[in-house]
Amino acid sequence: MLCLYDEKDIPDALLNIKIPWADYFIKQKVTKYLDGTDIRIVNIVEESSLLNASTIYGKFSDMPIGIGDLSEGCKTLLCINHAIKTHNIANFIFNITSCGGNAINHLITEMTKDVDVYAYCEHKDFGKDKKNIKIKVGNEIVTSIIDAEQAYLEMCREDHLWGDEEDA
């Protein structure tokens, strides 16, 4: 289950991965452990193909590009996937702000089926509405993306993280 927190209420026991590329991806040598689940992430999020552990086909051309040129959202999911595969996910909370709706949707619908992933975000674009999912927002469990977006907005609005610009 995706467990969303307000950035101000991160549990002390979790290591805060504020910038996944800098704080996790490079230090953990994520590219040494790429497998089929990582290839699927690149295919879905980037709409591209992984050639090897350091090269992908570019989204807008057939020219190979370095793995460092992946979107920040895709690299964030690769970090989360690595933590899941190495059974260390319970030690971290990831900043998923760089993830767009497609990446967060993949995280919710595919990656958190059998494991809890702790995260926080500075936006509420969680992708296409899905039903029959579970997302924990603060202490509330919701079962659709629309409900998660609303609950997260309310939680962050209460803490004055976001204003009421949408309601104006």
Side-chain angles (χ1 to χ4, degrees), residues 7-136:
E7 186 176 6
K8 293 183 242 165
D9 295 325
I10 294 173
D12 291 334
L14 298 175
L15 180 60
N16 185 358
I17 305 298
K18 292 179 183 180
I19 307 169
W21 175 254
D23 297 343
Y24 190 95
F25 195 93
I26 295 169
K27 291 177 185 175
Q28 296 295 327
K29 298 178 175 62
V30 169
T31 56
K32 289 178 76 175
Y33 304 98
L34 296 178
D35 64 13
T37 60
D38 300 296
I39 292 168
R40 181 161 164 72
I41 289 168
V42 172
N43 287 340
I44 289 171
V45 175
E46 297 291 331
E47 299 174 4
S48 187
S49 302
L50 192 63
L51 294 174
N52 57 45
S54 61
T55 311
I56 62 169
Y57 277 118
K59 182 176 182 177
F60 301 107
S61 72
D62 289 336
M63 297 292 297
I65 60 174
I67 199 127
D69 294 319
L70 290 169
S71 70
E72 290 300 313
C74 187
K75 290 186 280 194
T76 297
L77 291 191
L78 292 174
C79 293
I80 292 170
N81 195 48
H82 178 270
I84 291 170
K85 291 186 299 188
T86 58
H87 307 287
N88 290 317
I89 193 69
N91 299 325
F92 302 105
I93 185 163
F94 286 89
N95 178 356
I96 59 172
T97 301
S98 64
C99 295
N102 63 333
I104 293 177
N105 196 285
H106 183 72
L107 176 63
I108 293 167
T109 60
E110 300 294 325
M111 297 175 67
T112 60
K113 286 181 179 177
D114 300 320
V115 64
D116 287 344
V117 173
Y118 306 105
Y120 61 95
C121 188
E122 294 175 13
H123 64 78
K124 61 176 183 66
D125 176 10
F126 298 156
K128 297 176 187 172
D129 190 29
K130 299 282 186 191
K131 305 276 187 219
N132 302 319
I133 57 171
K134 284 187 177 179
I135 305 171
K136 185 176 180 187

Side-chain angles (χ1 to χ4, degrees), residues 136-154:
K136 185 176 180 187
V137 181
N139 292 321
E140 179 181 358
I141 295 178
V142 296
T143 57
S144 78
I145 289 178
I146 289 175
D147 292 343
E149 289 174 346
Q150 185 60 38
Y152 199 62
L153 176 65
E154 291 300 320

